[in-house]
Structures are given as structure tokens and as C-alpha cells.
Amino acid sequence: MASIKDVAKMAGVSISTVSRVINGTANVREDLSARVIEAIKTLGYHSNPLARGLKGLPTKTIGLIIPDIENPFFPAMVRGVQDVAKANGYAIFLCNTDEDAKLEEIQYSLLLEKKVDGILLVTSTSNTPFLQKKLTIPVVLLDRYVKGANLSDLSYVVVDHTFGMNLILNHLRDVGRQKTVFLGSKPITSGARERFQTFLAYHKGDPKIRSRVFFGKYTEESGFEMAEKLLKSGIDFDSVVCGNDLIAFGAIEVLEKNGINVPNDVSIVGYDDISFSLYHSPKLTTIHQPVYEIGEIASHLIIDAIEKGYSEPKHIKLEPRLVIRETSVPRSVKNANT
Amino acid sequence: MASIKDVAKMAGVSISTVSRVINGTANVREDLSARVIEAIKTLGYHSNPLARGLKGLPTKTIGLIIPDIENPFFPAMVRGVQDVAKANGYAIFLCNTDEDAKLEEIQYSLLLEKKVDGILLVTSTSNTPFLQKKLTIPVVLLDRYVKGANLSDLSYVVVDHTFGMNLILNHLRDVGRQKTVFLGSKPITSGARERFQTFLAYHKGDPKIRSRVFFGKYTEESGFEMAEKLLKSGIDFDSVVCGNDLIAFGAIEVLEKNGINVPNDVSIVGYDDISFSLYHSPKLTTIHQPVYEIGEIASHLIIDAIEKGYSEPKHIKLEPRLVIRETSVPRSVKNANT
DNA sequence: AATTTTGTTGAAAACGTTTTCTGGAGGTTT
DNA sequence: AAACCTCCAGAAAACGTTTTCAACAAAATT
């Protein structure tokens, strides 16, 4: 690999001059500058960003930690992040944690070791000990926030899930579905917690509401398993609220296999509005999260923080919206006795 | 940040000794070694991999370039890559190219600049000029290979698409579907080319076969558009072969919207077997690609090449299999006249 | 014409590591 | 007891940059 030294030799100048030409940090005589540029071209020289990073200068790299690359919700977010990052000359270091808190911490310190300029984090935990220390680089939380000692100075971009869950519950009431069960994830992350607590609050008159709640993971398989448990339990229900769309897919699969018609016998609402919800048949009623926007905004936030040094922490809460498709319909007279 | 110098000072030894303790490159007296370890702990020292990378040593980083993170096929592959990489202490640098050849080259040289130890590439091109030069680090191609001057010494892991496409065409013949149309991507990449040519070869008696071929992108939207064009063309068909599952999703959407029943009126076969094909309704008949395995093998290959220096290029071709689900059925008498 | 200012250049230090080289202490061989 | 090894610690060079500093020529001021 050609180094700056080779360029200097070929152009007949010092390495300082080459550096100045490359970075435009000072004036260089016209003809020297031309010779340097010429030499760079013929040698195919690329500056070594490691040496640059060694001086404590930006590496133009952002780390992005997500819980599950196989849940389409996150790739959509990655796209938002990456588009903005690319436009600003940053590369993305993507890491997958499988919703594992321990792995999350490992990835985090790995990114720190790699001297990324900032970290975008979709956490899978409720308290993140590794964020409690004084941060050395900007960190922005996406989709899920955490409470803690020094965490008020962390920026985050989240969605108002209390609002979202109320949209669902009001919609189900509107279509005459009141015997609702909840298939979600344990309320560990802020998002899951908000949704669960809103569900509970809505049913606070019902002492047995807890028996209508099932916990699992954010996958189709888990939705499948939870729905099977639900059926075995013998609980009477006419509607299902799911923690995300994948769970809804799994649940619908089980219900239909057991001769229960969706949406007539049981209406189902998902959460996220991943693209496949539209192509799923029946098309899924769900909560649309502005996922691409989350990525975009967070990306802007962290680049700002990186380039302007310290910046006021911003707490952004976006509004989701209900997308009514085919899996939620009024109880028709024809099906009332099913 | 604490540096090796701080550790040395605290332990009362030279930085050489500290380095030796950390890397185990030479024997160090018991008590000194203990003091060093103690100092490392109390200072919370982490070695700076940039400085290490500067010396031309491995950075324990692998770059992975994929065309479309939003196509679930690739996240599944990423998982395979990442699991093996993690087990070997490597971090993954994931880049998205949107099937854009120019962007692919940019990401490639970006990764090179970042001094990754190796690059895993799912190319979107048929000839990759940037791979023609002498490579400085190992490169392994995934899913798609390229031909070229110096490319025979590149390892790749691909799937036998000639075999796969024949599985589809034989299956369609078995269920009595012979008026088949092709909805795929332009035969730029090796995979698309193999499938298209196999389709053509199968129909080589038919002079008008080219009119039964439609080209677009590997997305639902594109499948949607191609299917609409197909309907507008007035072509008589009883089955559709799709370039991937996403195209199939889009096509099914259009057909059903136009009152054409899938699979009775028209049978459809996808390609890839992404997880949602199982949850799609009707469940998609498709070609299962061992996608996780592709990632795993490629990951092993590149780590081998990195750690053992130069290694014989390996050309691995995996076999796909047909998964018959609900979108392909025999022409029933009841529906024969539709 | 002598002095100051301006503008550019190159030498050298610094960033945090690894590694080669040197030297000294202790043990082993004659 | 003298000469030689062996083992291990520390000094210093090297990796490829950026940046501070000193130096110098030319231009501008007196």
C-alpha cells in the first residue's frame, strides 16, 4: 500500500505538504499542489484512517446496535439511519444482539474499541449499566429508552406507545370486541412496558385481566406458541392484541389451523406495520410506526452531536397511527354465535 | 482514555512488558505480570485497536456487503455469517448497496480504507472491475459469483440455480401447468442468469417464449407492477415462476385483486423460501435456499483465509430444494375451464 | 537600504501500539 | 574460577498520519 511518504517522495515535497494538500488545512503553492495531486493519482493513494483515528480524530464511523436483524422492523430502521449517514459521509457498523443484554454490552464495548464516532442503540434492557458511566462518545437511543442515573443527558427517538395501544383498544371497542387477550413480550423494554401497562389500565375494572395476558418473544414462532397456550387455556375471547406483527402472524396461523376464522370469529391487531403485514392474507390491521423516520432522526441527532461536540440531549416522541385492514371487523350477526 | 503507558507507569514496568503480558508474546516474571494485570483492571484499560491496526496487524473485523437489507433473504444470511464470526472473535461491518453497482464499489473501498481483515461480498454486478486488481485482503463471494481475469482465485459459496429452476419447472409439469410465465430480475447476476437461462432452455421449442418473460426488481412492488403488465398483455397463462418470494407476494396480490384464484386458476412458485413464505396465505410453494448455511460457510472460509494467510480458493455450490406448499396445485376439473 | 511582515515550506513531535535489539543478571559448562 | 548461555526487562524504532514549530524567502513597510 502506498503511504503518504511515497506520495511525498514522488512529488518531491515533504509529507507535511502532502497532508496539507489532502486536507486543505493550509495554503500550498499552486505547482506543488498540482504535483502532489498527480502523484496521488498515479500511486492510487488512499489515506489510512487508522493512523488518522490514532490522533483522536473522527473515524467517520457510526455503530448501530439492533436486537434482531431478522425482524423486518429493524432493517427498515437501518435504512433510515444509513441513508442519512451515507449522505453525511459516515459508514455504519451494524451489530445484532438477539435481544440478549449480555451480548449487547459486548457489542457496545467492541464498538467503543473500534473507535466509532458515535453509537446508535436499540437496547433490549431496562437498565443499561454500561451507559451509567460518563460517556466518551455520543450515544442516541432508538425505539426504546432507559431510565437511570446519568441517562437524562442521553438523546432518544421513540414512539408514543401509550397512544398507540389506546388507538388499538378504542378501535376494538368500536368494532364491538371487548373480550381481548394480549400476546406480547415481557415488559422489559420501555416500548413493551408502555403497551402492557396501557392494556392493563384500559381493563382496570377487570380483576381477572392478568389471566388474559401471555408473554413470549417477538417472533412468529413465539406467537405460534402463545396462541396454542391461549387455546388450551379455554379462555373466551373475540380479539387479540399482539406485541408486534410477527406474533400476530404466528397467532393467526394457529387460530386458522383450529378452524377459528380471522377476522370474523376473532379479530387480531398487530403492531409495527412491517411491510409483510400488507401482503399477509388476511391483511393485518396494525399500528404503523414511523420506523424509517426514527432511523433518519436518530442519525441526524448523532451526527449533530458528533460534529458539534456536546449538544443538548433531545427527547423525541413520534406518533404512531392505526392502519385498519382486514383482520379486525365488527362482530356480524351471522357470526355472533360462533 | 488510559493508554498502555499509564498501565506501565502504575505497574512500575516498561510498556514493552505490558504489551508482552497482554499478548502473551513472551515470558514475564510472575510478580511483574501480576502487577500489570492489577493495573489494567484498576485503570479499566482497553487496548486501542487502531494503533494495533496501524502496524498492519489484524483488526478482527470483517466487512459484509449485501444488496438489500430489507429483503429477509439477506438478514438470514447475515445471521449465518455473524454467528460464526462472533464465535471466532470477529465483528461484522455490514453495508447495504441497494443493488447499485456504483455504491457497491464505494462501500468496497470504504471497507478497504477501514482496514477490515476480509470482505464478504454479495455482488449486484456481472463484472466487478474493482476485484480485477491484485487483492490486498481475502474476499469471498456469497450467493453470486462473477467471472473475470483474476477471479478464479476468489472463493465463493453459491447455490445451484440450474438445479433449482429445473425443480420448479418439473414440478409445474407434474401438476399439469405448462403455460408458464417468468417474473424475475434482469439476468445480471449469476443467480438471475442461471435461472433465466434454465427457464429458456426448458422452453426451447417455443419460439414465443421471450414474450412470456418480464423483468423488474427483487421487491414486492416490482412483482406487483410486473403482474399488472402481465395481465394487460393478455397472455394466456396458468402458472408463474418468480425470481424471488417478494416478487411472488406482489404478483399474488395483483392476481387475487383481479379475481384470479391462486392456486386454482394460476399456480405460483417463488424462490428463496424466506420465512414469511410460510406465513403468507396461501402459503407459498418455493425453492428453499440454504441461506443460513451460505453465511456460515462463507464466514468460515474467510476467517480461514485471514488466519492462515493465502489459502486455496474454494468453490462451493449448495443444493436447493423444492418446498411444495399451497400456491401450486394440479389443475382440477372444476377449474379447468376458468 | 534596512527592517518588519507575510506566506510557505520542511523537520520533528505526537498519537498507542508491537517488535527488534541491547544489556544485564543468573545459571551452566569447561 | 573463567568463559559461555539463557532468560528476561527495558530502550527505541516503526507503523501512517496530523500538527506545531522553526526557518526562510519574498514582499511590504519605514
Side-chain angles (χ1 to χ4, degrees):
Chain A
M1 270 301 207
S3 80
I4 198 171
K5 218 181 277 178
D6 304 316
V7 176
K9 206 188 297 173
M10 174 173 260
V13 297
S14 74
I15 55 171
S16 334
T17 304
V18 176
S19 174
R20 281 189 273 258
V21 169
I22 293 169
N23 302 295
T25 48
N27 280 344
V28 173
R29 224 172 56 213
E30 193 69 27
D31 56 327
L32 289 196
S33 166
R35 286 220 307 267
V36 168
I37 291 170
E38 182 62 27
I40 287 176
K41 248 187 221 155
T42 56
L43 287 172
Y45 168 74
H46 280 278
S47 99
N48 183 336
L50 270 67
R52 195 177 270 151
L54 191 54
K55 302 279 296 182
L57 296 169
T59 58
K60 284 284 180 176
T61 305
I62 296 171
L64 170 53
I65 302 176
I66 61 175
D68 182 12
I69 197 178
E70 293 190 280
N71 177 352
F73 179 75
F74 296 110
M77 204 159 72
V78 173
R79 273 289 300 261
V81 169
Q82 211 165 23
D83 286 354
V84 172
K86 198 174 70 184
N88 288 274
Y90 284 82
I92 296 296
F93 218 141
L94 188 61
C95 300
N96 200 47
T97 68
D98 293 320
E99 304 261 8
D100 176 353
K102 203 173 282 178
L103 191 49
E104 182 176 317
E105 181 160 2
I106 293 174
Q107 303 274 31
Y108 181 84
S109 57
L110 211 72
L111 286 171
L112 234 44
E113 277 191 9
K114 294 270 178 224
K115 302 292 172 201
V116 294
D117 296 336
I119 293 182
L120 295 173
L121 173 62
V122 183
T123 183
S124 306
T125 65
S126 51
N127 72 324
T128 45
F130 59 89
L131 287 179
Q132 306 287 348
K133 319 178 189 174
K134 179 122 187 54
L135 300 174
T136 51
I137 56 169
V139 173
V140 173
L141 299 174
L142 284 79
D143 190 49
R144 307 158 176 192
Y145 61 85
V146 287
K147 296 179 198 164
N150 299 345
L151 295 175
S152 53
D153 46 306
L154 235 53
S155 288
Y156 59 73
V157 184
V158 297
V159 169
D160 188 342
H161 295 302
T162 304
F163 183 76
M165 182 52 77
N166 276 319
L167 283 178
I168 292 175
L169 296 170
N170 290 336
H171 170 61
L172 287 178
R173 187 198 55 211
D174 291 349
V175 294
R177 309 268 173 173
Q178 293 284 49
K179 292 180 282 185
T180 307
V181 297
F182 181 94
L183 267 46
S185 147
K186 265 191 196 147
I188 295 173
T189 64
S190 64
R193 202 169 52 232
E194 274 184 31
R195 291 179 232 182
F196 175 61
Q197 286 174 349
T198 307
F199 180 82
L200 244 46
Y202 187 90
H203 294 93
K204 69 168 171 274
D206 184 351
K208 287 185 299 182
I209 185 62
R210 292 242 166 205
S211 67
R212 308 178 75 83
V213 169
F214 295 79
F215 288 140
K217 294 168 60 179
Y218 280 134
T219 63
E220 301 105 317
E221 291 76 15
S222 185
F224 200 95
E225 288 161 14
M226 284 189 275
E228 284 189 328
K229 252 185 229 161
L230 165 61
L231 289 183
K232 233 179 257 168
S233 76
I235 289 171
D236 180 34
F237 66 101
D238 64 2
S239 48
V240 181
V241 169
C242 298
N244 75 352
D245 291 347
L246 299 183
I247 291 176
F249 290 172
I252 291 171
E253 176 81 5
V254 171
L255 295 183
E256 300 220 312
K257 211 171 63 179
N258 283 271
I260 299 171
N261 180 271
V262 176
N264 292 320
D265 300 337
V266 167
S267 283
I268 292 204
V269 183
Y271 211 104
D272 286 355
D273 193 24
I274 62 175
S275 62
F276 297 102
S277 302
L278 180 61
Y279 290 94
H280 194 271
S281 165
K283 293 178 185 172
L284 191 65
T285 292
T286 186
I287 290 289
H288 179 84
Q289 296 205 57
V291 56
Y292 183 83
E293 217 178 334
I294 295 175
E296 268 187 323
I297 295 176
S299 205
H300 274 130
L301 244 47
I302 197 129
I303 291 173
D304 248 43
I306 291 168
E307 299 189 344
K308 297 193 179 124
Y310 178 80
S311 70
E312 272 307 294
K314 298 214 176 63
H315 298 170
I316 294 173
K317 195 166 244 183
L318 301 174
E319 247 188 34
R321 65 170 208 275
L322 181 67
V323 182
I324 300 173
R325 296 210 182 94
E326 297 174 355
T327 59
S328 61
V329 297
R331 229 160 202 281
S332 70
V333 179
K334 191 180 80 188
N335 292 287
N337 56 345
T338 321
Chain B
M1 270 302 207
S3 80
I4 197 171
K5 217 181 279 179
D6 304 316
V7 176
K9 206 189 298 176
M10 174 172 258
V13 298
S14 73
I15 55 172
S16 333
T17 304
V18 176
S19 173
R20 281 190 273 257
V21 171
I22 293 169
N23 301 295
T25 47
N27 281 344
V28 174
R29 223 171 58 213
E30 192 70 29
D31 56 328
L32 291 196
S33 165
R35 287 218 308 268
V36 168
I37 290 169
E38 182 62 25
I40 286 177
K41 249 186 220 158
T42 56
L43 288 172
Y45 168 75
H46 279 280
S47 98
N48 183 335
L50 269 66
R52 197 177 269 151
L54 190 54
K55 302 278 295 183
L57 296 166
T59 58
K60 286 282 182 179
T61 305
I62 296 171
L64 170 54
I65 301 176
I66 61 174
D68 181 13
I69 196 178
E70 293 190 281
N71 177 353
F73 179 75
F74 296 110
M77 204 159 72
V78 172
R79 273 288 301 262
V81 170
Q82 209 165 22
D83 287 353
V84 172
K86 198 174 71 187
N88 288 275
Y90 284 81
I92 295 295
F93 216 141
L94 188 61
C95 300
N96 201 45
T97 68
D98 293 320
E99 304 261 9
D100 176 352
K102 204 174 284 180
L103 192 50
E104 181 176 317
E105 181 160 3
I106 292 173
Q107 304 274 34
Y108 181 84
S109 57
L110 213 72
L111 286 171
L112 234 44
E113 276 191 10
K114 294 269 178 228
K115 302 290 169 201
V116 294
D117 297 336
I119 293 182
L120 295 173
L121 172 63
V122 184
T123 183
S124 306
T125 65
S126 53
N127 71 323
T128 45
F130 59 88
L131 287 180
Q132 307 288 345
K133 320 177 192 179
K134 179 122 187 54
L135 300 174
T136 50
I137 56 170
V139 173
V140 173
L141 299 174
L142 285 79
D143 190 49
R144 306 159 175 189
Y145 61 85
V146 288
K147 299 177 198 163
N150 298 348
L151 295 175
S152 53
D153 46 309
L154 237 52
S155 288
Y156 59 73
V157 185
V158 297
V159 168
D160 189 341
H161 296 301
T162 302
F163 183 75
M165 181 53 75
N166 276 320
L167 284 177
I168 292 175
L169 295 170
N170 290 337
H171 170 60
L172 286 179
R173 188 197 53 212
D174 291 348
V175 295
R177 309 267 170 173
Q178 292 285 48
K179 290 179 284 184
T180 307
V181 296
F182 182 93
L183 267 45
S185 147
K186 265 192 195 145
I188 294 173
T189 64
S190 64
R193 202 169 49 233
E194 273 184 31
R195 292 178 231 182
F196 175 61
Q197 286 175 349
T198 307
F199 179 81
L200 244 46
Y202 187 89
H203 294 93
K204 68 167 172 272
D206 184 351
K208 286 185 300 182
I209 186 62
R210 292 241 165 204
S211 67
R212 308 177 76 83
V213 168
F214 294 79
F215 287 141
K217 293 167 62 179
Y218 280 133
T219 63
E220 302 103 316
E221 291 76 14
S222 185
F224 200 94
E225 288 161 14
M226 285 190 275
E228 284 189 326
K229 251 185 230 162
L230 166 61
L231 289 183
K232 232 179 260 167
S233 75
I235 289 171
D236 180 35
F237 66 100
D238 64 3
S239 47
V240 181
V241 169
C242 299
N244 76 351
D245 291 348
L246 300 182
I247 291 175
F249 291 172
I252 292 171
E253 176 81 5
V254 170
L255 295 182
E256 299 220 312
K257 211 172 65 177
N258 283 272
I260 299 171
N261 179 270
V262 176
N264 292 321
D265 299 337
V266 167
S267 283
I268 292 204
V269 183
Y271 211 105
D272 286 355
D273 193 25
I274 62 175
S275 62
F276 296 102
S277 301
L278 180 60
Y279 290 94
H280 194 273
S281 166
K283 294 177 185 172
L284 192 64
T285 292
T286 187
I287 291 290
H288 179 84
Q289 295 205 56
V291 56
Y292 183 84
E293 216 179 331
I294 296 176
E296 268 187 325
I297 295 175
S299 206
H300 274 129
L301 244 45
I302 197 129
I303 291 173
D304 249 42
I306 291 168
E307 300 190 344
K308 297 191 180 126
Y310 179 80
S311 72
E312 272 306 292
K314 298 213 177 65
H315 297 170
I316 294 172
K317 195 166 244 183
L318 303 173
E319 248 187 34
R321 64 170 209 274
L322 181 68
V323 182
I324 300 173
R325 297 211 182 93
E326 297 173 356
T327 59
S328 61
V329 298
R331 232 166 199 276
S332 71
V333 179
K334 193 180 77 187
N335 292 287
N337 56 347
T338 322

